[in-house]
Amino acid sequence: MNGLNGHQNGESNGCGDIIAQNQLKGCWTIGLINSKFRYLTAETFGFKINGNGTSLKKKQIWTLEPDANSFGESLIYLRSHLDKYLAVDSFGNVTCESEEKDPGSKFQISVAEDGTGRWALRNVVRGYFLGASADKLTCTAKVPGDAEFWHVHLAARPQMNLRSVGRKRFAHLSESLDEIYVDANIPWGEDTLFTLEFRQDEGGKYAIHTCNNKYLSLTGKLVDTCNKDCLFSAEYHSGQLALRDRQGQYLSPIGSKALLKSRSNTVTKDELFSLEDSLPQASFVAALNSRFVSVKQGVDLTANQEEISDHETFQLEFDWSTKRWYIRTMQDKYWTLETGGGIQAAGDKRSSNALFDLVWQKDGSVAFRANNGRYIITKRSGHLFANSDVIDDTCKYFFYLVNRPILVLKCEQGFVGYKAAGNPKLECNKVTYETIKVERGEKGLVYFKGQNGKYWHSDSESVTEDSDTPEGFYLELREPTRLCIKDSAGHYLTASKNGCFRLGDTSIENATQWEY
C-alpha cells in the first residue's frame, strides 16, 4: 500500500496519471493554495507557472518528493504534472522547466505558528520564501508574510485507511461506534474506512469523517456534525502526516485501547500517520441459491451463508500486468484453482492459479473466469468449481462493495457534488464532494442516499437527490480505484466536460469510470 499516493501502481487518466506515478515512499500529491485562495498552477504550454488556479485539477497537482538526505529537516522538491521541478534561479526567478533536481529546486517546509496550518516554503539555496504575487511567483521575502503562506490540499483519494507510524496499526471504529481505536493489524471491513474531508471554507483544515457518518473531535469522541473541535491542520514530517487541532495539540493513539484523540504538543512517531489506499473489499451472492460465498467452514469456498461477516468478505487486489484479480481472505489466503477445478482459499502466496477475470454481465451480476479458462459455478452443495465453458445462472454472482458504506465519486472534471447550496441537482465538476450513503438491496442492487436524506433520481438529463423512493444501481469494479455505475435497466452513469452528470447508454465503451 502507498501512503498518500491515492493509487496502486498502474494506469489511469486525468489527475490519476500523476497520482499513479508516485510510488516513492513519502511522496505526497498535493495542491498549494495561496492567500487569495488560488492554486499554484503549471500551464501545459511554455512551462508557465502562476497562482491563478480556481480548483484542484490536473494542472494544479504537484508531487511533493522528500529529499533523501534531509534527515528530518522536511526538505522537499515539487514536481509538476509535466514532470518538471519547481526551482529558483540565481536571479531569484521562479521556474518550472527542468526534469532534473538541482540545488535551486530544494525547499524547506515550515508551518505557520498562527494555528492556520499553512506552510511556508523556503528555497534552500536562495534563503528566500516562495510567494504568489498577482500573475507570477516570487521568491524575494526573507520572512514569510501572507503572500508566502500556502494551504495544502491533499490530492490522494479522500477515502482511505489511517495507519499509525508509532503503533504500526490501523484505525477502526470502536464496537460502540463512538470512538476510534488504532489497534487493527490489517484494515478489514467498512469500520476501517475514513474520509479525510478538506474544508477550504474553514481555512483549509481537515475533518475525519467515519463510515457511520460522524466526525472525530479532539476529545476522541465522535459527533454528529462537524464543528471547530473536529478541524485539524495537516503537517508534513519527513513523508508522514501529523494532524494538529485548534489548540495546537496533535492526534495520537492513547493508552491500551489506542484511543485516537489530541494530547501532545510535540510530534514524535506516535503523532505520525500514513494514509493508505483502501483496497476494495467485497461480498458475493450466488445467483443459484442466494447465499453468500464464505470460508467459514474452512478452506473450501462455499455459497452457504445468509449474512455478511469477515468470513464472507474478500479483498480484491489487481494485477496490472494481466488485468486480472487476486481475491484474498481475512486469514491472508488467496482463492486458488485446485487440481480438478475446485476453488479453495488455500493459497499462501500469489500464483497464476490465484488470478481471476471479473466478467460483468448485463443483469448486474459478475462471473469469475479461472486460470483454466473456465467459469466458476455454484454446485448444488454450494461448493465452487471452475468447470463451465459458458456463463449460465450457475456462474453468476451478485457483487457488494462492503467497505464503501459512504461513497465519494470523482472523474476528470472533478468531484460529484451539489450544483449549488440548496439545489438537489448533482454535477461532476465540483471542488468539494457530496458524501453518498450506500444502502444494500437485493441481488446486487444498491441505493444512493444524500446527506439530505433523499435518494438519487436519475434520467438522461441529470441526477438529483430529491426522491423519497430508492432507485437501484449496480456497481462494476473495473480497476482498484475505479468503478462503473449503471441503473437497473443497464444504462451507465456518465460525466460530461461541462459537469453534466446523467444516465448515458448501455455501452461499457461510453461509460465513465469513476474514481471512488
Side-chain angles (χ1 to χ4, degrees):
M1 293 185 181
N2 306 311
L4 284 155
N5 292 343
H7 282 65
Q8 298 291 89
N9 50 4
E11 309 151 7
S12 61
N13 54 26
C15 297
D17 285 333
I18 306 144
I19 299 171
Q21 292 166 10
N22 301 325
Q23 301 304 303
L24 182 64
K25 186 173 176 59
C27 279
W28 289 16
T29 42
I30 62 171
L32 288 168
I33 306 170
N34 64 24
S35 58
K36 307 293 186 189
F37 280 93
R38 291 288 186 265
Y39 285 84
L40 178 63
T41 300
E43 300 294 352
T44 308
F45 301 106
F47 305 121
K48 301 290 186 187
I49 46 173
N50 60 61
N52 291 334
T54 56
S55 62
L56 184 64
K57 295 188 178 176
K58 188 170 185 175
K59 292 189 290 187
Q60 288 77 35
I61 285 189
W62 296 81
T63 302
L64 184 157
E65 296 181 1
D67 178 59
N69 302 311
S70 67
F71 302 112
E73 293 183 87
S74 293
L75 300 182
I76 55 103
Y77 302 90
L78 288 168
R79 177 162 52 85
S80 75
H81 69 103
L82 300 171
D83 282 336
K84 310 292 184 185
Y85 285 95
L86 194 73
V88 182
D89 66 18
S90 56
F91 302 103
N93 300 310
V94 183
T95 64
C96 194
E97 300 179 4
S98 175
E99 292 183 5
E100 302 295 328
K101 298 172 185 173
D102 59 43
S105 55
K106 189 184 295 186
F107 293 85
Q108 183 173 29
I109 298 170
S110 56
V111 178
E113 293 297 325
D114 58 5
T116 61
R118 293 182 298 172
W119 294 7
L121 298 165
R122 186 180 69 87
N123 186 261
V124 173
V125 169
R126 293 276 300 169
Y128 295 103
F129 288 88
L130 181 72
S133 171
D135 227 13
K136 64 178 211 171
L137 295 176
T138 60
C139 195
T140 54
K142 271 285 188 188
V143 178
D146 213 35
E148 286 76 38
F149 280 115
W150 303 82
H151 288 293
V152 181
H153 188 171
L154 298 177
R157 287 188 302 143
Q159 292 188 293
M160 45 74 194
N161 302 130
L162 189 65
R163 183 179 183 272
S164 165
V165 173
R167 301 241 178 176
K168 299 180 180 176
R169 296 290 185 273
F170 288 90
H172 67 95
L173 271 182
S174 66
E175 284 189 20
S176 56
L177 305 181
D178 62 349
E179 294 175 328
I180 296 173
Y181 299 155
V182 191
D183 61 356
N185 290 326
I186 53 175
W188 204 264
E190 63 183 42
D191 69 337
T192 62
L193 182 78
F194 300 94
T195 305
L196 197 65
E197 289 187 2
F198 180 67
R199 300 254 171 167
Q200 185 163 320
D201 56 346
E202 301 278 3
K205 300 288 182 70
Y206 288 86
I208 296 177
H209 193 178
T210 62
C211 69
N212 62 337
N213 214 24
K214 294 182 182 292
Y215 290 91
L216 177 69
S217 72
L218 55 85
T219 64
K221 287 295 179 184
L222 300 182
V223 296
D224 291 330
T225 54
C226 186
N227 58 52
K228 284 186 167 57
D229 286 345
C230 303
L231 299 173
F232 301 90
S233 302
E235 292 186 7
Y236 179 91
H237 292 267
S238 303
Q240 309 295 351
L241 173 73
L243 292 165
R244 188 182 190 188
D245 70 20
R246 65 187 183 90
Q247 298 171 346
Q249 295 184 317
Y250 294 91
L251 282 180
S252 63
I254 306 297
S256 58
K257 289 184 176 179
L259 172 66
L260 188 61
K261 60 179 289 190
S262 296
R263 184 177 68 171
S264 174
N265 290 311
T266 57
V267 175
T268 67
K269 275 190 176 182
D270 283 339
E271 286 71 41
L272 292 178
F273 297 89
S274 60
L275 303 184
E276 309 274 354
D277 272 349
S278 173
L279 297 179
Q281 293 172 355
S283 291
F284 305 101
V285 176
L288 181 71
N289 62 10
S290 299
R291 296 288 192 270
F292 286 98
V293 176
S294 178
V295 289
K296 194 170 187 176
Q297 56 288 320
V299 295
D300 286 345
L301 280 153
T302 311
N304 64 356
Q305 296 298 311
E306 295 186 4
E307 299 289 337
I308 295 176
S309 73
D310 289 341
H311 298 293
E312 293 74 47
T313 301
F314 304 99
Q315 185 160 287
L316 291 125
E317 301 173 0
F318 198 61
D319 179 65
W320 285 97
S321 61
T322 63
K323 299 289 193 286
R324 297 159 79 194
W325 297 85
Y326 297 103
I327 305 174
R328 188 178 189 170
T329 73
M330 193 190 184
Q331 289 76 30
D332 249 0
K333 303 290 186 183
Y334 290 97
W335 288 24
T336 306
L337 173 68
E338 302 294 332
T339 307
I343 304 296
Q344 291 189 338
D348 288 323
K349 57 182 186 292
R350 294 177 172 187
S351 67
S352 57
N353 277 338
L355 284 168
F356 298 87
D357 288 300
L358 301 187
V359 186
W360 296 98
Q361 304 299 299
K362 288 184 178 179
D363 64 1
S365 65
V366 65
F368 301 97
R369 186 164 52 224
N371 201 41
N372 61 1
R374 294 184 158 188
Y375 296 98
I376 293 177
I377 69 164
T378 306
K379 291 201 161 189
R380 289 194 180 278
S381 64
H383 287 82
L384 272 54
F385 272 78
N387 60 5
S388 180
D389 293 319
V390 295
I391 298 173
D392 59 21
D393 284 346
T394 65
C395 304
K396 292 181 178 180
Y397 300 85
F398 294 110
F399 167 87
Y400 292 108
L401 188 62
V402 296
N403 65 336
R404 289 296 186 281
I406 293 177
L407 209 55
V408 172
L409 296 175
K410 186 173 183 286
C411 64
E412 278 194 74
Q413 282 69 48
F415 288 105
V416 171
Y418 288 125
K419 181 176 182 178
N423 188 330
K425 185 177 181 181
L426 294 171
E427 293 185 333
C428 60
N429 60 353
K430 313 314 286 184
V431 178
T432 56
Y433 43 79
E434 163 74 338
T435 49
I436 305 151
K437 298 178 188 177
V438 182
E439 295 181 355
R440 195 162 62 234
E442 296 292 319
K443 295 187 176 180
L445 285 172
V446 294
Y447 311 114
F448 298 134
K449 183 190 273 189
Q451 296 295 321
N452 61 2
K454 299 288 187 178
Y455 290 99
W456 280 20
H457 169 69
S458 59
D459 55 35
S460 60
E461 299 295 322
S462 64
V463 178
T464 53
E465 280 185 349
D466 58 1
S467 176
D468 293 321
T469 308
E471 296 178 12
F473 294 88
Y474 295 108
L475 303 180
E476 296 181 353
L477 195 61
R478 296 289 171 177
E479 288 181 10
T481 61
R482 293 178 184 271
L483 49 77
C484 293
I485 303 172
K486 67 182 181 186
D487 71 355
S488 56
H491 297 96
Y492 285 97
L493 282 172
T494 59
S496 302
K497 287 194 173 173
N498 64 358
C500 184
F501 179 46
R502 62 184 183 85
L503 287 177
D505 58 32
T506 58
S507 166
I508 185 60
E509 285 74 25
N510 299 327
T512 298
Q513 291 195 13
W514 300 94
E515 282 188 65
Y516 67 92

